[in-house]
């Protein structure tokens, strides 16, 4: 006797019965068939009586009657009843997932149809659907990220009772966190224990969401909404067009992860913006310094010119506006230098003239702009001479004779004054008067 889980390895019972001979002939082929296509089990059922006459794995349902036996209320019994009621050739009947006691209460779904031998029905062939194969398709063999679902996205099937028909990604990847989620959502303890025992969320995880309801009603769409774990998700949904299964398919991904690339891009933009701003500020500072350098130099040289340094020359390094400004500045400085030289020359000539006309101390005081220059001088002799009656005489003489006579007289006074060191103060302007000191 083979133990439970290995009964498929028994090919022949070696009891000499006709059943064992037929079993030995076909068992290997049927066993290979379900392994090739991934079915959980294969059944051959008597069409008239409902007896399970063959099973690859020969669980507790093998040899029982589905019409009045222990499993008459199972979904496999319902499948057989529907095939018996509609035994059409090539018609494949299906029943949805339901807890199946022979599989230790794990969810099971079946499909099957009538077997014909010519025009005669000789039996019913039924397959127990492979939960693992369905999950493999829905999870992409566990490669959610390669399928574009990131770290939080998943695709699952929902039935008309709003219970899962595939396994939750969180249960597969993070069973401890999934259990915490169930406890936080106040899932009944019995349900949590079943999920842990069967390691599945099929028929146990509720998905009563907007997306699931719309898809069950036959609608297709996408949008931002709450997922079955009460987190904001970007969800896409549609009904599954499988005869016999009123299922819907839902794909969702948490909004926080969906927008993460945008946030990363925004962060990158901020970083690039800050770097660019710093770079532009640095370059602007450098170029502003270079731009302002001739202006600052011009200001400094202007102050030097203002202080009286007329030998300043502004370098003419370019032909742009700064070069033209330097050229104009140099021209202005050159004109100021020439004017300063002219003024200096005139000032020198004036000083020489004052030195020749006035005493040295008086000339210096005049150059220093002293307003009051009257001084008290001791031991000064002033000689004043006047020719009496000259005016009346000049009336009797013609102008030439009067002028000639006056000139001879003044020349005599000048000679006498020069011989005695007397300086004339004013001559020729007082008519018949002559002053000395």
């Amino acid at each position: 006797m083979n133990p439970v889980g290995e009964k498929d390895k028994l090919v022949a019972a070696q009891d000499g019965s006709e059943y064992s001979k037929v079993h030995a002939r076909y068992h290997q082929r049927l066993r290979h068939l379900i392994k090739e296509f991934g079915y959980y089990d294969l059944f051959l059922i008597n069409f008239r009586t409902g007896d399970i006459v063959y099973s690859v794995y020969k669980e507790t349902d093998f040899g029982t009657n589905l019409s009045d036996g222990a499993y008459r209320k199972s979904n496999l019994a319902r499948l057989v009843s529907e095939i018996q009621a509609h035994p059409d050739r090539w018609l494949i009947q299906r029943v949805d997932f339901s807890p199946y006691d022979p599989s230790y209460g794990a969810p099971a779904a079946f499909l099957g149809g009538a077997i014909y031998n010519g025009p005669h029905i000789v039996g019913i062939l039924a397959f127990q659907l492979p939960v693992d194969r369905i999950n493999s398709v829905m999870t992409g063999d566990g490669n959610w990220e390669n399928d574009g679902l990131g770290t939080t996205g998943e695709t699952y099937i929902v039935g008309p009772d709003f219970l899962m028909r595939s396994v939750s990604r969180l249960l597969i990847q993070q069973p401890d966190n999934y259990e915490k989620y169930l406890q936080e959502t106040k899932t009944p303890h019995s349900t949590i224990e079943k999920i842990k025992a069967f390691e599945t969320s099929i028929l146990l995880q509720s998905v009563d969401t907007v997306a699931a309801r719309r898809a069950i009603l036959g609608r297709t769409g996408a949008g931002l909404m709450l997922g079955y774990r009460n987190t904001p998700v970007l969800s896409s949904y549609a009904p599954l067009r499988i005869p016999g299964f009123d299922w819907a398919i839902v794909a969702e991904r948490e909004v926080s992860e969906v927008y993460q690339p945008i946030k990363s891009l925004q962060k990158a933009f901020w970083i690039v913006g800050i770097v660019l701003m710093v770079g532009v500020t640095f370059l602007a500072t450098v170029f502003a310094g270079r731009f302002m350098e001739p202006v600052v130099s011009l200001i400094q040289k202007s102050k030097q010119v203002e202080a009286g340094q007329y030998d300043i020359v502004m370098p003419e390094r370019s032909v742009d506006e700064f070069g033209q400004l330097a050229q104009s500045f140099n021209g202005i400085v050159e004109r100021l230098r020439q004017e300063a030289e002219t003024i200096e020359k005139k000032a020198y000539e004036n000083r020489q003239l004052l030195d020749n006309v006035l005493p040295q101390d008086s000339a210096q005081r005049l150059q220093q702009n002293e307003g009051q220059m009257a001084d008290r001088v001791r031991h000064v002799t002033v000689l004043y001479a006047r020719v009496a009656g000259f005016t009346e005489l000049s009336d009797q003489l013609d102008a030439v004779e009067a002028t000639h006579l006056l000139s001879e007289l003044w020349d005599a006074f000048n000679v006498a004054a020069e011989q005695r060191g007397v300086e004339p103060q004013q001559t020729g302007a007082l008519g018949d008067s002559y002053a000395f000191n």
Side-chain angles (χ1 to χ4, degrees), residues 100-405:
Y100 189 60
D101 290 340
S103 296
Y104 309 102
F110 298 90
L111 60 84
I115 304 173
Y116 280 80
N117 183 11
H120 306 289
I121 300 176
V122 295
I124 296 175
L125 174 65
F127 293 92
Q128 186 171 345
L129 293 182
V131 175
D132 293 340
R133 280 295 181 93
I134 294 175
N135 287 328
S136 178
V137 172
M138 300 308 297
T139 62
D141 291 325
N143 296 317
W144 291 277
E145 295 187 22
N146 293 337
D147 290 343
L149 294 172
T151 59
T152 62
E154 63 178 316
T155 303
Y156 53 86
I157 299 173
V158 182
D161 52 2
F162 301 107
L163 296 176
M164 276 191 173
R165 296 300 191 271
S166 60
V167 180
S168 168
R169 175 181 181 176
L170 187 62
L171 173 60
I172 297 173
Q173 288 190 319
Q174 304 175 36
D176 293 338
N177 290 338
Y178 184 73
E179 183 178 354
K180 291 180 180 179
Y181 150 72
L182 294 175
Q183 293 173 351
E184 290 173 357
T185 55
K186 298 182 180 180
T187 302
H189 180 72
S190 59
T191 302
I192 296 177
E193 291 300 319
K194 288 181 180 179
I195 291 174
K196 292 170 62 177
F198 299 139
E199 297 181 351
T200 183
S201 58
I202 297 176
L203 296 181
L204 297 170
Q205 174 64 63
S206 175
V207 190
D208 191 2
T209 62
V210 174
R213 287 185 174 277
R214 290 177 179 176
I216 293 298
L217 292 175
R219 297 167 60 182
T220 300
L224 296 175
M225 53 194 70
L226 287 178
Y228 69 91
R229 288 187 285 133
N230 293 323
T231 55
V233 297
L234 176 61
S235 181
S236 178
Y237 52 87
L240 283 176
R241 310 296 182 181
I242 302 176
F245 295 135
D246 295 327
W247 292 350
I249 185 170
V250 179
E252 60 188 27
R253 189 177 178 185
E254 291 188 5
V255 172
S256 58
E257 185 182 11
V258 173
Y259 288 157
Q260 185 60 41
I262 299 177
K263 293 180 180 179
S264 299
L265 185 62
Q266 290 176 339
K267 183 178 180 181
F269 280 155
W270 275 108
I271 294 174
V272 171
I274 293 173
V275 172
L276 287 177
M277 183 176 65
V278 173
V280 169
T281 303
F282 174 75
L283 293 176
T285 303
V286 172
F287 283 110
R290 294 183 179 180
F291 179 81
M292 292 299 295
E293 181 179 355
V295 178
V296 174
S297 177
L298 181 61
I299 294 173
Q300 293 176 347
K301 293 184 183 300
S302 298
K303 292 181 178 180
Q304 291 176 335
V305 172
E306 184 181 3
Q309 301 180 24
Y310 299 113
D311 57 345
I312 301 299
V313 178
M314 188 75 177
E316 300 178 15
R317 299 176 181 174
S318 60
V319 295
D320 56 7
E321 290 79 1
F322 289 114
Q324 297 175 6
L325 184 60
Q327 186 178 5
S328 299
F329 177 80
N330 292 334
I332 294 172
V333 173
E334 177 63 22
R335 287 194 296 272
L336 290 174
R337 185 184 62 78
Q338 293 176 358
E339 292 179 0
E341 291 178 353
T342 301
I343 294 172
E344 181 66 24
K345 182 178 180 181
K346 293 295 183 181
Y348 176 76
E349 293 176 353
N350 292 335
R351 287 195 300 271
Q352 292 294 329
L353 182 59
L354 291 174
D355 289 342
N356 292 330
V357 174
L358 299 175
Q360 184 177 2
D361 59 341
S362 297
Q364 291 178 353
R365 292 168 66 184
L366 182 61
Q367 292 173 14
Q368 294 173 0
N369 295 324
E370 291 190 16
Q372 183 68 30
M373 295 183 61
D375 288 330
R376 177 178 295 178
V377 181
R378 298 176 181 272
H379 306 294
V380 176
T381 301
V382 178
L383 174 63
Y384 178 78
R386 181 175 181 274
V387 181
F390 181 78
T391 302
E392 291 81 1
L393 180 61
S394 64
D395 292 338
Q396 299 175 3
L397 300 176
D398 58 17
V400 175
E401 290 178 343
T403 302
H404 180 72
L405 179 60

Side-chain angles (χ1 to χ4, degrees), residues 42-55 61 64-67 76-77 79-81 83-84 100 110-115 121-127:
L42 179 150
F43 304 91
L44 293 176
I45 302 167
N46 188 304
F47 180 80
R48 290 188 299 274
T49 64
D51 292 327
I52 299 177
V53 297
Y54 173 81
S55 169
D61 50 3
T64 63
N65 185 277
L66 296 175
S67 298
L76 178 58
L79 173 68
V80 170
S81 177
I83 294 174
Q84 290 173 336
Y100 189 60
F110 298 90
L111 60 84
I115 304 173
I121 300 176
V122 295
I124 296 175
L125 174 65
F127 293 92

